[in-house]
């Protein structure tokens, strides 16, 4: 089943304890972000209200006793989009209450059994795939109807090897 608009929002907001995301794409080409990505790349200042609606949602989840977290997969060097997110996006998301960790697979010494698919997992049992073209443009979101067990294992592995964002960015020139 495909999820969009109000259906996606209702599916997302229905979680009771935890929303957790696995982010594997090096670039996300989201139309609503393009102007800010361009500003960042030109060296302009971050707008004061950058990502304010997401921050409000995160705070409401946290205030209601729910958690929201993610692991972002990266390879060095960071893409322009990842640099933008690391400088402008992620710090505000963390301040709003989101737990964000980074798993750097540049050397891939671990041989980790992870998927290249982006997905959200809600309450350890509801999965939504986020499908993207090679350029990072989102195609759609769809409910995963199968067994959630592999996703729980991918989450466990990702969390085992990921580090908190603030630890990862120490020493990076952002």
């Amino acid at each position: 089943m495909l999820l969009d608009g109000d259906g996606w929002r209702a599916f997302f907001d229905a979680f009771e304890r935890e929303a957790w995301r696995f982010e594997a794409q090096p670039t996300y080409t989201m139309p609503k972000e393009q102007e800010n990505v361009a500003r960042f790349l030109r060296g302009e200042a971050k707008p004061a209200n950058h990502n304010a609606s997401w921050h409000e949602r995160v705070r409401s989840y946290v205030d209601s006793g729910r958690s929201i977290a993610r692991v972002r997969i990266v390879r060095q060097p960071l893409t322009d989009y990842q640099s933008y997110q690391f400088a402008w996006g992620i710090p505000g998301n963390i301040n709003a209450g989101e737990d964000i960790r980074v798993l750097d697979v540049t050397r891939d010494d671990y041989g980790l059994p992870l998927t290249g698919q982006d997905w959200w997992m809600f309450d350890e049992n509801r999965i939504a795939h986020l499908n993207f073209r090679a350029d990072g443009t989102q195609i759609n979101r769809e409910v995963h109807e199968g067994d959630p067990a592999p996703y729980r294992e991918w989450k466990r592995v990702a969390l085992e090897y990921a580090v908190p964002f603030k630890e990862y960015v120490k020493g990076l020139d952002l």
Side-chain angles (χ1 to χ4, degrees):
M1 172 175 69
L2 293 180
L3 296 166
D4 59 8
D6 292 339
W8 167 239
R9 181 70 184 255
F11 186 87
F12 192 106
D13 287 345
F15 76 95
E16 295 177 6
R17 296 174 311 284
E18 179 190 48
W20 192 87
R21 179 159 178 194
F22 184 80
E23 289 186 317
Q25 307 308 307
T27 298
Y28 296 93
T29 308
M30 308 299 285
K32 67 181 182 177
E33 287 185 321
Q34 293 311 295
E35 183 178 333
N36 280 329
V37 172
R39 285 179 180 159
F40 169 78
L41 293 174
R42 289 191 301 263
E44 296 177 16
K46 179 173 75 171
N49 65 346
H50 183 265
N51 220 11
S53 62
W54 177 248
H55 298 158
E56 184 177 315
R57 282 181 70 188
V58 169
R59 281 190 290 275
S60 74
Y61 299 140
V62 172
D63 289 349
S64 71
R66 299 180 285 175
S67 67
I68 188 158
R70 68 181 75 208
V71 167
R72 173 177 268 295
I73 304 297
V74 299
R75 283 184 173 79
Q76 292 292 334
L78 297 178
T79 65
D80 287 345
Y81 182 83
Q82 288 168 334
S83 295
Y84 155 74
Q85 278 295 309
F86 277 35
W88 282 23
I90 294 174
N93 294 0
I94 290 171
N95 289 340
E98 191 173 352
D99 177 14
I100 301 177
R101 297 170 185 266
V102 178
L103 176 52
D104 189 324
V105 295
T106 301
R107 294 181 20 211
D108 200 19
D109 292 340
Y110 311 118
L112 298 178
L114 296 171
T115 177
Q117 169 83 50
D118 280 46
W119 43 275
W120 278 98
M121 180 166 47
F122 303 95
D123 299 326
E124 298 283 322
N125 60 25
R126 291 184 309 119
I127 312 297
H129 287 173
L130 306 170
N131 300 312
F132 294 90
R133 292 187 181 91
D135 71 352
T137 302
Q138 189 172 59
I139 300 167
N140 59 31
R141 299 175 204 96
E142 62 182 320
V143 175
H144 172 71
E145 303 287 350
D147 184 2
Y151 296 86
R152 289 192 291 265
E153 178 60 11
W154 290 327
K155 175 186 174 189
R156 185 197 65 73
V157 169
L159 287 170
E160 180 179 339
Y161 290 93
V163 297
F165 174 78
K166 290 179 180 180
E167 180 180 326
Y168 183 78
V169 298
K170 287 179 184 172
L172 289 181
D173 185 25
L174 298 176

